Every structure is written in structure tokens, then in C-alpha cells.
């Protein structure tokens, strides 16, 4: 595991289209998951300890964001041959265990979409306004020794609520950090 931090938000960058298989064996495109007030696209994996540390809160936040007209999607882009815990079958188990009710979970088998988005780690969050312009590339919240510091609402939900109301993201954003994406060798 190599600890990696996300780059600074490239405000206004347009979301890249995709067509990826969901854990429900449907092909999901960007157009299928656009929210009326914003869209959250994230890259996660099943095995990453940083994702495991925040997954319950992340699912809760995604459920809450639907109330603000924001749809969410999670994409898994890791090399599943080298990291079998991230396999498609294990993605299904992971999503069922954590009750991904308002969160599509997609597999990026070629890693093409992770490259298009310049995703670097898991978790890596991309918060878009209704015009699909990037407004957030930060963390969910502070972690200390892989434990979330819960002293208020998460940075992610705060930022996405602001985006839903103003269509602009916060100027101050703290990068997300996690395991580097496991690229094909």
C-alpha cells in the first residue's frame, strides 16, 4: 500500500462519460447517474483500509445527499488479478454488506475511466455541479490512525450540500488520501 493524496481540485473540469458494468449486471453511463443538483463520482476499492475506515459514513452521506438532489456512483478500478479481494463477486458482497442503497457500484475492468478522471487513490472523490463541472476533490473527513475524527458533519457532505445550493464548491479543500490505485503491471 502506497499512501497517495489527491491533487488540487481542477474547478470547472467537465465529467468524463463512461459505460461500466454495475454490480447488478447493468451497464451504467454518466447520463444514468446525473443528479438534478449535482453528481458525486468516487473511486473506491473493497480491500483498502482507508475505504474500510470511512465506508459506513460514506454510505450514510450518499443516502443523505439524495435529499439534496445529488446522485452518487462508486467505481472500482483496481487490478483484480493482483488484488482478488476487489473482484466483481467481492464488490457485490461488499455493497450488500454495507447496504449501498443509494450508491451504484461499478467496475472499471480496463482502468480506462480511472485514467480519464486522473483518479489516484481510494477513496478519491469528484463532486460535480448540475452542469457536470468539477467543484470538489477533497476528503470525506480527517482520519487519525485510520479512525474518522467525528466532530461535525463530513467535509464531503458539507461541500456537496454547498454545491447543490450554489453550484460552486468550497475554495478550501483538504485532499483525500488513501491507497494508490492498483494499476495493471
Amino acid at each position: 500500500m502506497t499512501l497517495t493524496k489527491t491533487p488540487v481540485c481542477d474547478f470547472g473540469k467537465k465529467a468524463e462519460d463512461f459505460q461500466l458494468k454495475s454490480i447488478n449486471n447493468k451497464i451504467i453511463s454518466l447520463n444514468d447517474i446525473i443528479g438534478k443538483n449535482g453528481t458525486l463520482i468516487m473511486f473506491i476499492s473493497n480491500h483498502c483500509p482507508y475505504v474500510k475506515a470511512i465506508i459506513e459514513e460514506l454510505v450514510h452521506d450518499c443516502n443523505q445527499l439524495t435529499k439534496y438532489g445529488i446522485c452518487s456512483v462508486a467505481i472500482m478500478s483496481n487490478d483484480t488479478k493482483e488484488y482478488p479481494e476487489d473482484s466483481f463477486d467481492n464488490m457485490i458482497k461488499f455493497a450488500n454488506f454495507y447496504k449501498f442503497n443509494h450508491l451504484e457500484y461499478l467496475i472499471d475492468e480496463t482502468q480506462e475511466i480511472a485514467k480519464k478522471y486522473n483518479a489516484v487513490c481510494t477513496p478519491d472523490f469528484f463532486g460535480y455541479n448540475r452542469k457536470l463541472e468539477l467543484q470538489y476533490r477533497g476528503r470525506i473527513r480527517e482520519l487519525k490512525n485510520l479512525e474518522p475524527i467525528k466532530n461535525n458533519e463530513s467535509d464531503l457532505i458539507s461541500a456537496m450540500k454547498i454545491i447543490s445550493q450554489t453550484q460552486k464548491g468550497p475554495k478550501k479543500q483538504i485532499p483525500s488520501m488513501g491507497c494508490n490505485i492498483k494499476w495493471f503491471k
Side-chain angles (χ1 to χ4, degrees):
M1 163 182 83
T2 303
L3 178 62
T4 304
K5 290 185 179 182
T6 56
V8 174
C9 183
D10 188 2
F11 286 96
K13 184 175 182 186
K14 291 294 222 172
E16 297 284 344
D17 196 15
F18 54 79
Q19 291 193 355
L20 297 171
K21 183 169 75 170
S22 78
I23 59 169
N24 300 312
N25 282 314
K26 295 180 188 169
I27 300 299
I28 304 292
S29 72
L30 178 62
N31 285 333
D32 295 326
I33 55 95
I34 296 172
K36 77 174 185 172
N37 291 324
T39 304
L40 175 61
I41 298 170
M42 68 198 83
F43 291 82
I44 67 170
S45 67
N46 306 333
H47 89 274
C48 174
Y50 291 90
V51 172
K52 288 179 178 180
I54 55 94
I55 194 64
E56 289 178 4
E57 182 171 20
L58 178 61
V59 170
H60 174 268
D61 284 2
C62 290
N63 291 341
Q64 294 300 308
L65 288 173
T66 62
K67 298 174 186 174
Y68 296 90
I70 295 173
C71 292
S72 304
V73 65
I75 300 172
M76 203 298 298
S77 299
N78 280 350
D79 177 351
T80 58
K81 287 184 180 71
E82 291 291 320
Y83 297 87
E85 193 176 338
D86 292 333
S87 73
F88 188 72
D89 288 341
N90 285 327
M91 287 172 60
I92 294 168
K93 291 174 188 170
F94 189 79
N96 288 335
F97 183 81
Y98 289 106
K99 299 178 175 63
F100 281 26
N101 299 331
H102 292 100
L103 179 60
E104 289 282 359
Y105 197 16
L106 315 177
I107 188 163
D108 178 15
E109 295 174 295
T110 65
Q111 301 183 328
E112 174 187 347
I113 303 309
K115 289 176 182 171
K116 278 186 175 183
Y117 276 81
N118 194 29
V120 296
C121 63
T122 58
D124 197 346
F125 301 103
F126 296 79
Y128 294 91
N129 63 17
R130 73 173 63 97
K131 293 180 184 175
L132 294 175
E133 299 164 334
L134 186 64
Q135 298 296 316
Y136 189 70
R137 182 99 188 257
R139 67 183 183 184
I140 187 168
R141 75 166 54 249
E142 181 181 2
L143 294 178
K144 189 170 191 162
N145 299 322
L146 290 175
E147 289 293 326
I149 307 299
K150 292 189 178 184
N151 50 8
N152 53 16
E153 140 177 295
S154 76
D155 294 6
L156 178 66
I157 202 164
S158 295
M160 293 308 297
K161 283 166 58 175
I162 290 168
I163 292 167
S164 76
Q165 295 159 357
T166 69
Q167 295 302 295
K168 299 282 186 198
K171 295 296 178 211
K172 183 180 179 210
Q173 300 181 12
I174 299 170
S176 183
M177 62 181 184
C179 303
N180 62 308
I181 290 190
K182 308 307 184 212
W183 302 107
F184 298 135
K185 293 180 182 179

